[in-house]
Amino acid sequence: MSGRQMVPPVFAANWKLNHGPSDARAFLQRFLALVPRQHDRTLLLFPSALAVGAVVEALRDRPDIQVGVQNVHTEAQGAFTGENSVQQARDVGARVVLVGHSERRQLFGETDADTARKVALVVQARLVPLLCVGETLAEREGGLVEAVVQRQLEAGVSLLDDAQAAGLLVAYEPVWAIGTGRTATPEDAGDVHSLLRRLLSDRLGERVASGIPLLYGGSVNRGNVQALLAAPNVNGVLVGGASLDPDGWASIVRS
Ligand code: PEP
């Protein structure tokens, strides 16, 4: 379609509370041997905050792989024991920040207002936010998918101007599919991704919105990744469990 941008596929690994610095180095030694430098896709790695430095160091000759943090605090600095700030993330070498992952929302009470604040801080620090949205099973069964995803997306970008919002990445991650072995069908994923694209187009115009990568996440594995990537408006995947093993992750990113 005229005016549309091509979005290179994005493969993002979320290691959650796995792989400290030693495991991360061992993972990368194997993974980098399996996956040569990529030119037609974007690879992202979200280690635990304590392993980011080791990962950045191990990837110093691999600019095709960007490193991110899984969370930042809502304040830039201050008396917030145990938290990490956007500037600290930038300083350690992270370039991307996950915001609003469902585990942050569900387990740590992160609100839409928190995600808005974090996204704004991330952008101000000249880092890239990867905003996660997605409904719970009860919300899906209650017919609330569109309302939830729209609310979370609009809240997440509410403090950004249009130029800032154009630099966003978005992941649709249905909560019921994360870590459960249940995956959205390519049709369901395509429907929600097309909604996200339309909402972004309404705000930013079709040309800008078409350049924003929309990732699907939720029990992606090497058996389902190709079908999901073929769904409409799916530009990449965000993967937890299946990204922990270097051989398995290598086979997914080569999809
Ligand atoms: C995630 O943590 O973002 C995720 C999608 O996890 P999993 O692939 O294990 O469902």
Side-chain angles (χ1 to χ4, degrees):
M1 190 186 292
S2 67
R4 280 198 167 260
Q5 298 182 31
M6 282 296 294
V7 181
V10 179
F11 294 84
N14 175 16
W15 283 353
K16 312 191 188 197
L17 193 54
N18 301 288
H19 291 337
S22 308
D23 286 351
R25 280 187 212 99
F27 176 105
L28 287 170
Q29 195 170 17
R30 173 77 181 154
F31 178 78
L32 297 181
L34 294 170
V35 179
R37 195 180 283 212
Q38 302 294 300
H39 301 286
D40 63 347
R41 60 199 60 209
T42 303
L43 305 188
L44 303 177
L45 200 45
F46 295 92
S48 84
L50 292 176
V52 169
V55 170
V56 168
E57 175 63 19
L59 292 175
R60 65 185 182 286
D61 296 327
R62 289 296 298 265
D64 57 316
I65 307 178
Q66 300 282 305
V67 184
V69 291
Q70 299 170 13
N71 183 41
V72 288
H73 191 53
T74 48
E75 298 296 327
Q77 61 181 37
F80 303 104
T81 301
E83 295 293 322
N84 297 305
S85 75
V86 282
Q87 286 301 342
Q88 290 163 348
R90 188 177 169 80
D91 194 11
V92 76
R95 291 293 168 261
V96 191
V97 181
L98 274 188
V99 180
H101 189 280
S102 69
E103 285 152 16
R104 300 302 315 172
R105 295 181 193 260
Q106 304 278 313
L107 304 177
F108 299 97
E110 188 164 309
T111 64
D112 287 338
D114 293 330
T115 66
R117 173 105 181 110
K118 291 181 183 188
V119 166
L121 280 173
V122 168
V123 170
Q124 283 160 22
R126 288 176 290 118
L127 300 174
V128 175
L130 171 40
L131 174 68
C132 303
V133 301
E135 81 286 356
T136 63
L137 187 57
E139 288 165 341
R140 173 161 283 262
E141 290 174 347
L144 295 172
V145 177
E146 296 194 359
V148 169
V149 165
Q150 179 166 4
R151 191 199 76 228
Q152 292 177 340
L153 177 69
E154 289 179 352
V157 297
S158 60
L159 301 179
L160 303 185
D161 63 30
D162 286 0
Q164 292 170 328
L168 190 72
L169 284 80
V170 180
Y172 169 55
E173 297 208 305
V175 178
W176 48 270
I178 297 180
T180 60
R182 290 185 64 187
T183 313
T185 63
E187 292 72 27
D188 285 342
D191 285 348
V192 178
H193 281 237
S194 297
L195 168 69
L196 290 168
R197 188 78 70 203
R198 184 168 56 72
L199 293 169
L200 290 166
S201 294
D202 290 346
R203 159 121 190 227
L204 302 171
E206 187 186 356
R207 191 190 63 78
V208 172
S210 69
I212 295 181
L214 302 180
L215 282 55
Y216 169 79
S219 297
V220 173
N221 57 43
R222 66 174 101 179
N224 59 27
V225 63
Q226 287 187 354
L228 287 160
L229 285 172
N233 286 304
V234 176
N235 309 119
V237 286
L238 175 55
V239 182
S243 72
L244 293 175
D245 162 60
D247 292 65
W249 184 232
S251 75
I252 289 174
V253 307
R254 288 183 306 219
S255 297

